Amino acid sequence: MYRVRVRSVPPVVLALRRFPNPRLTGIGAGLFAALTMFVLACVDRLLFDSSELVYGLLFLPVSALTALWVRPADLVTAPISVPIAFAVGVFPISGGSEGLGGQIMGLVTALAVHAGWLYGGTLIAGLIASVRKVRQMRARRRYVLAHGRGGAPASEPAPRAAAASAAAAAKPVRAGAGGAGGAGAVARRPQRP
């Protein structure tokens, strides 16, 4: 007697499957990242006295979530919107002096000082978006190979190719046109389905 061995799913995988899996548009992903970073920067300013380390560490998972939650058609927007979100979020913790000029100088200085976190989060978003794009392209290639170009399974001939071959077989040969090996014989290229 054979026993069927049931493989149990690890608890980590089960926990990950319970997380939400939204599909945001490019603009939606950018807004999500910008608003999340702004709120986290405000919380960082209130609780941790504008700690750069806390802000940078919070930026990395937001970058990853932005790249994971953007829909496949807008994958290119994830590495673009993440640095913008970083700049929007760093404004509350930049620590500029009074006046518009002081605030802008504080923002530019904070962006220069936190460039490592900015590059790290952008790299994470770019890698996740690239991996998702490669997986999407492989899945599309497998689908095309399995179903052929016209959407019909590859084992069945395409209707247009089958009709063309049936019409060529039924077409009468004119006298003098030459048969196989004759002077008028021309090699025909097979039609694509």
Side-chain angles (χ1 to χ4, degrees):
M1 215 178 207
Y2 293 105
R3 288 187 184 182
V4 178
R5 185 175 178 184
V6 179
R7 298 177 92 186
S8 63
V9 180
V12 173
V13 175
L14 290 175
L16 288 175
R17 287 182 184 169
R18 284 191 290 255
F19 278 112
N21 192 16
R23 288 293 169 227
L24 302 172
T25 62
I27 294 173
L31 287 174
F32 160 75
L35 290 175
T36 304
M37 289 313 300
F38 186 78
V39 168
L40 289 175
C42 291
V43 170
D44 179 25
R45 184 174 180 174
L46 292 174
L47 298 179
F48 301 105
D49 197 30
S50 300
S51 171
E52 297 94 10
L53 179 67
V54 171
Y55 181 76
L57 287 175
L58 291 173
F59 176 65
L60 299 179
V62 170
S63 300
L65 287 176
T66 302
L68 285 172
W69 287 351
V70 70
R71 66 183 184 169
D74 295 329
L75 279 173
V76 72
T77 62
I80 297 169
S81 61
V82 165
I84 297 169
F86 185 88
V88 167
V90 83
F91 185 73
I93 63 168
S94 61
S97 62
E98 295 294 326
L100 181 63
Q103 292 292 330
I104 291 174
M105 277 309 262
L107 180 65
V108 171
T109 304
L111 287 174
V113 170
H114 303 307
W117 293 112
L118 176 63
Y119 292 146
T122 306
L123 181 66
I124 288 172
L127 286 175
I128 291 173
S130 298
V131 167
R132 286 186 59 201
K133 185 65 175 178
V134 167
R135 290 182 67 198
Q136 178 188 10
M137 289 168 44
R138 284 184 181 166
R140 183 176 294 157
R141 185 180 305 138
R142 280 193 301 259
Y143 178 80
V144 167
L145 289 176
H147 295 288
R149 290 185 187 266
S155 60
E156 299 176 12
R160 188 171 41 163
S165 63
K171 190 175 188 180
V173 178
R174 293 184 315 188
V186 177
R188 296 182 68 183
R189 183 186 305 171
Q191 292 182 349
R192 289 187 174 186

